[in-house]
Amino acid sequence: MASSVRIAGVGATAVGRLGRSAEELAETALDRALADAGMGRGDLQGLIAVPSLSNPTFMQAHQLATRMGLLPRRKMIVRTIDTGGAGPITSLGTARNMILSGWTDTVAVVASDAVLSMDRELFRARADDSVRGSGLPSPSIPHGYDRVAQWHMARHGVTREQLAMVPVLFSHFAARHPDAMCRRPFSVEDVLASPRVAPVTNVLECARRADGAAALVIASSSYVRRQLAKPLELCPAIVSTGEASGPLYPPAEIGEEMFSCERAAHIAFESAQLSVRDIDFFALYDCFPICFLRALEAVGCCPVGEAGRFVESAYRRLAATGRLAPEEFPFNTHGGLACFGAPWEVPAMYGVLEAVAQLTARAGAERQLSPKPRRALVYGNGGIFSASAVAILGDGVYGARGC
Ligand code: CAA
């Protein structure tokens, strides 16, 4: 059995309006991840892909594997996983399990989409259709999150301004990332003056439509040592993962039972025998501000009901100095979904890529946490709080369950 499972290579395309198909982008990202690991297509024994919205195909991973000449091959497992935006983290956990079970030594995970090059109306129709039956007005996904935001505001006293502070904080980080779509920091006033999409949601608070792909090459530590020139220290371990599910869209009466991030985080922490105090960097899904606020509470960064004030205190520090040090707010230093860019089910991959950059001290002078984090937690969310997947990366307690 593998002693630990490592992220041996990462690769991505640019993010934005790229004018290339999701399949082409996936191929580029995967080849880059393989090159980063010092591997070739012939070394892969597994491939996991998540579906794309722009070009939905039957058995997406098989399509890609066949297109890339990875099949037919005797030792090859190919699987498509659809837990929406949680998909990359579910895939990471599945890849880890495949390796720990001895099925394979290497698995690639790839996510790609081209939703910015899609016709705007077609995007809206397909996005609305993804929560068919919800009865939510169009655009249905922003309206779904908006309903939850209003519920949370009424229950915990979160203010409209506190919601708006979330993308403001991340715009400051995104402006320091060469690949992010948001190129300049904006203010709370900018957010509140941007076009209204739903009662408490404006454009600058929405996951930003984008084209892009990202891939990971995952391998057993013994494979890394045996076959790769890359030092093991540059290949963070997948220490643990956890998953939980909620309904596809909010029920008529919103209640705590629809949320699943807390359970997913609990599973990940328990199986790693770690707690939130052991985590130095967080990549938390933030398709809309309420998703980030709920995640802060769910993973234990602040008590339930306090996330609005938690964000506001970071914002006040930023407002006082004009600058946000990554150590002061060790979250989504790439900029998150609204500011980095959100190609549908890809964004949790950007969280993993940023976590890997942080853990290997490669995030660059502007975004790197100092001292280098030992462990990171990445959370992916699918649908409207419908799927939660959490991964803990970095130093593990080896010998603990599953690691
Ligand atoms: N920051 C800056 N600009 C933004 C922005 C953001 N976060 N979001 C949109 N914009 C801009 C666009 O760039 C565009 O600008 P231009 O006109 O200059 O090109 C303008 O706002 C209009 O946006 P759209 O072209 O997208 O067209 P629209 O007006 O029809 O729609 C919108 C606006 C309703 C906000 C739409 O962009 C939208 O629906 N966004 C949310 C996408 C979404 O729901 N993603 C999934 C999130 S849930 C999840 O991630 C889980 C999962 O399982 C997938």
Side-chain angles (χ1 to χ4, degrees):
M1 191 198 252
S3 53
S4 68
V5 178
R6 303 284 174 151
I7 298 178
V10 298
T13 65
V15 185
R17 190 186 300 276
L18 305 178
R20 295 171 64 202
S21 72
E23 293 70 30
E24 289 169 340
L25 295 172
E27 202 167 331
T28 302
L30 183 48
D31 280 335
R32 288 181 182 166
L34 285 166
D36 184 47
M39 290 166 56
R41 291 184 184 188
D43 300 316
L44 269 185
Q45 299 168 7
L47 177 73
I48 304 177
V50 304
S52 70
L53 192 76
S54 58
N55 187 14
T57 50
F58 178 61
M59 298 173 79
Q60 187 121 3
H62 279 74
Q63 293 274 351
L64 183 63
T66 306
R67 176 190 166 107
M68 292 183 72
L70 304 177
L71 289 172
R73 188 182 292 170
R74 198 178 60 81
K75 193 167 182 188
M76 186 63 160
I77 306 169
V78 170
R79 192 181 282 182
T80 304
I81 285 181
D82 189 4
T83 50
I89 311 299
T90 308
S91 303
L92 198 74
T94 304
R96 177 173 176 271
N97 291 341
M98 284 177 174
I99 291 171
L100 288 175
S101 307
W103 292 11
T104 67
D105 281 325
T106 61
V107 184
V109 174
V110 62
S112 71
D113 218 324
V115 293
L116 188 54
S117 292
M118 264 173 106
D119 171 74
R120 174 184 293 203
E121 293 307 320
L122 181 61
F123 170 78
R124 183 178 285 222
R126 285 194 186 160
D128 286 355
D129 196 49
S130 72
V131 289
R132 195 185 313 150
S134 67
L136 290 160
S138 182
S140 302
I141 293 181
H143 274 280
Y145 282 94
D146 191 274
R147 268 197 64 208
V148 177
Q150 291 185 54
W151 175 82
H152 199 87
M153 289 165 89
R155 193 177 169 95
H156 295 300
V158 171
T159 66
R160 181 68 190 87
E161 287 71 24
Q162 287 170 344
L163 292 173
M165 286 167 193
V166 174
V168 170
L169 289 164
F170 293 138
S171 69
H172 279 259
F173 284 146
R176 302 177 206 167
H177 195 303
D179 298 331
M181 291 177 81
C182 172
R183 298 308 323 148
R184 65 167 187 90
F186 45 73
S187 64
V188 168
E189 293 70 34
D190 293 332
V191 175
L192 297 178
S194 68
R196 191 164 164 273
V197 175
V200 296
T201 308
N202 289 12
V203 160
L204 289 179
E205 296 168 293
C206 294
R208 186 160 182 178
R209 227 159 38 98
D211 305 342
L216 309 171
V217 173
I218 296 165
S220 64
S221 53
S222 50
Y223 183 92
V224 175
R225 277 201 206 91
R226 229 178 34 243
Q227 303 286 346
L228 304 183
K230 201 170 183 177
L232 206 58
E233 311 81 75
L234 292 182
C235 304
I238 305 170
V239 180
S240 68
T241 58
E243 239 187 293
S245 308
L248 184 60
Y249 43 80
E253 286 267 314
I254 295 176
E256 285 296 336
E257 60 287 351
M258 70 164 272
F259 302 103
S260 49
C261 178
E262 189 168 1
R263 168 111 187 105
H266 177 77
I267 294 169
F269 281 134
E270 202 177 63
S271 72
Q273 297 176 13
L274 296 170
S275 81
V276 68
R277 287 182 298 282
D278 299 305
I279 307 297
D280 312 304
F281 174 75
F282 299 82
L284 302 182
Y285 211 82
D286 63 332
C287 47
F288 299 90
I290 187 60
C291 188
F292 181 72
L293 295 189
R294 292 275 336 171
L296 284 173
E297 297 174 3
V299 305
C301 291
C302 63
V304 173
E306 288 296 317
R309 280 178 282 277
F310 184 91
V311 163
E312 181 164 354
S313 74
Y315 171 80
R316 295 277 161 226
R317 288 196 297 276
L318 166 67
T321 61
R323 181 145 182 102
L324 187 64
E327 297 78 20
E328 286 182 290
F329 198 65
F331 299 92
N332 300 354
T333 44
H334 60 304
L337 274 77
C339 298
F340 186 81
W344 198 240
E345 295 193 13
V346 180
M349 281 291 239
Y350 297 140
V352 176
L353 263 53
E354 187 68 0
V356 169
Q358 289 288 355
L359 293 168
T360 56
R362 290 175 163 193
E366 293 277 277
R367 305 189 330 277
Q368 180 65 48
L369 284 157
S370 176
K372 170 172 86 75
R374 274 188 73 195
R375 288 190 203 93
L377 181 149
V378 186
Y379 157 55
N381 156 71
I384 306 175
F385 294 106
S386 320
S388 298
V390 168
I392 297 175
L393 309 177
D395 281 0
V397 183
Y398 302 110
R401 244 184 306 155
C403 195

